[in-house]
Amino acid sequence: MGAPRVAIDAVAGKMGRALVAALAEHPELRLGAAIGRPGASYLGEDAGRLAGVGELGVAVCDRLDAVLDDFDVLIEFAPADAALGHLRQAAARGRAVVLGSTGFSAEAQAEIDSLARSIALVQAPNMSVGVNVLLAFLPQMVEALGAGYDVEILEAHHGQKRDAPSGTALQLGRAVAAGRGVELDAVACWDRNGVSGPRQPGSIGFASLRAADVVGEHSVWLAGAGERLELTHRAGSRRNFAEGALRAASWLQGRGPGHYDMQDVLGLRTAARVR
């Protein structure tokens, strides 16, 4: 059996180019298809040249349904609406999917959960290995510290990001809530504008920043009487997300249908599963 063939969507975007560049250095995988925006000037160009790594022999096309026979696993980072449409097409053909897109509505997420019953799907709002190690151990840390510690989650991204809080910030919030045995929606504090009054005990606060070309930063504050523990992950480039996504694509080979995440990929599954 040859190397698994990977399809990369939104190939001309920053994440798409990072994926193609990283894939060129992974001989255990090969690029099978590259999908770009309909009507774009780069259509027909070699995806490797577009990413600055030389020719890879795969021309950029504008329709996933035209290349469904050319790949084994789709890596999808497009905006939520486009990503869901491509996920439907991939599932109909039985293709595995690595899904890094965020901003899905509750209805869309329910559909994703349903589609994962028929295909192998890794879904994670953050493919970074470092972030997922943090997610794996955060519930135990929160549980050990106890209810007397306030929790605040801060995140910063580039100015073009569409959703806030980020999917990663929400996942961190769910990890904290899991450690406390509560549902995030019951304790989340999204907004403190105006006269919001004193902080509610047990609440999990969120703050979002959007500026320039910030790749991604996330911090969890665990603040107790006289001390504060800060857990921070800073992404210096998109390469770490690309490497995680490619690791997930390799891990999916031979997997049966199921809704997996990076905790599964990294062997970090704990009793407190968060998604």
Side-chain angles (χ1 to χ4, degrees):
M1 181 181 295
R5 302 166 301 164
V6 175
I8 297 175
D9 187 27
V11 72
K14 293 178 180 178
M15 192 66 223
R17 292 173 193 249
L19 282 162
V20 173
L23 181 60
E25 299 179 13
H26 283 260
E28 77 280 8
L29 298 169
R30 64 187 176 94
L31 185 63
I35 302 92
R37 187 180 71 255
S41 60
Y42 55 77
L43 294 177
E45 290 188 29
D46 186 275
R49 290 179 62 85
L50 191 63
V53 294
E55 290 198 12
L56 296 177
V58 176
V60 180
C61 69
D62 62 355
R63 289 174 48 203
L64 181 69
D65 59 3
V67 292
L68 287 170
D69 292 328
D70 296 337
F71 67 90
D72 304 299
V73 55
L74 168 66
I75 299 181
E76 182 65 74
F77 277 86
D81 289 346
L84 183 56
H86 285 166
L87 179 57
R88 291 170 183 144
Q89 294 177 29
R93 191 60 65 92
R95 300 293 184 247
V97 177
V98 175
L99 182 60
S101 305
T102 61
F104 294 105
S105 66
E107 294 77 11
Q109 186 59 55
E111 183 177 354
I112 292 169
D113 295 342
S114 178
L115 291 171
R117 299 189 185 104
S118 62
I119 61 169
L121 168 69
V122 171
Q123 182 182 12
N126 193 313
M127 298 286 173
S128 161
V129 172
V131 163
N132 282 282
V133 169
L134 173 58
L135 285 165
F137 293 101
L138 188 55
Q140 295 102 301
M141 296 176 69
V142 170
E143 182 179 11
L145 288 171
Y149 282 71
D150 294 333
V151 180
E152 294 287 313
I153 297 173
L154 296 77
E155 57 97 353
H157 284 85
H158 55 86
Q160 300 304 308
K161 186 169 177 59
R162 302 183 182 189
D163 54 314
S166 68
T168 302
L170 293 174
Q171 199 174 24
L172 289 166
R174 294 187 189 102
V176 172
R180 289 181 166 176
V182 298
E183 293 294 326
L184 177 60
D185 288 344
V187 295
C189 177
W190 310 111
D191 185 6
R192 292 196 178 99
N193 288 330
V195 182
S196 59
R199 193 182 198 282
Q200 295 300 308
S203 63
I204 300 173
F206 289 83
S208 297
L209 302 176
R210 297 289 178 264
D213 57 354
V214 177
V215 175
E217 299 185 5
H218 295 86
S219 292
V220 180
W221 285 19
L222 305 168
E227 66 175 358
R228 183 172 79 233
L229 177 62
E230 294 183 26
L231 306 171
T232 298
H233 179 273
R234 294 185 178 92
S237 77
R238 290 171 176 78
R239 182 62 181 253
N240 64 325
F241 306 130
E243 291 289 347
L246 294 174
R247 190 165 173 175
S250 294
W251 182 86
L252 276 175
Q253 298 312 300
R255 301 282 170 184
H259 200 163
Y260 307 104
D261 60 22
M262 287 299 289
Q263 304 294 300
D264 298 303
V265 174
L266 301 174
L268 294 171
R269 177 59 55 222
T270 64
R273 179 166 185 168
V274 294
R275 171 171 293 134

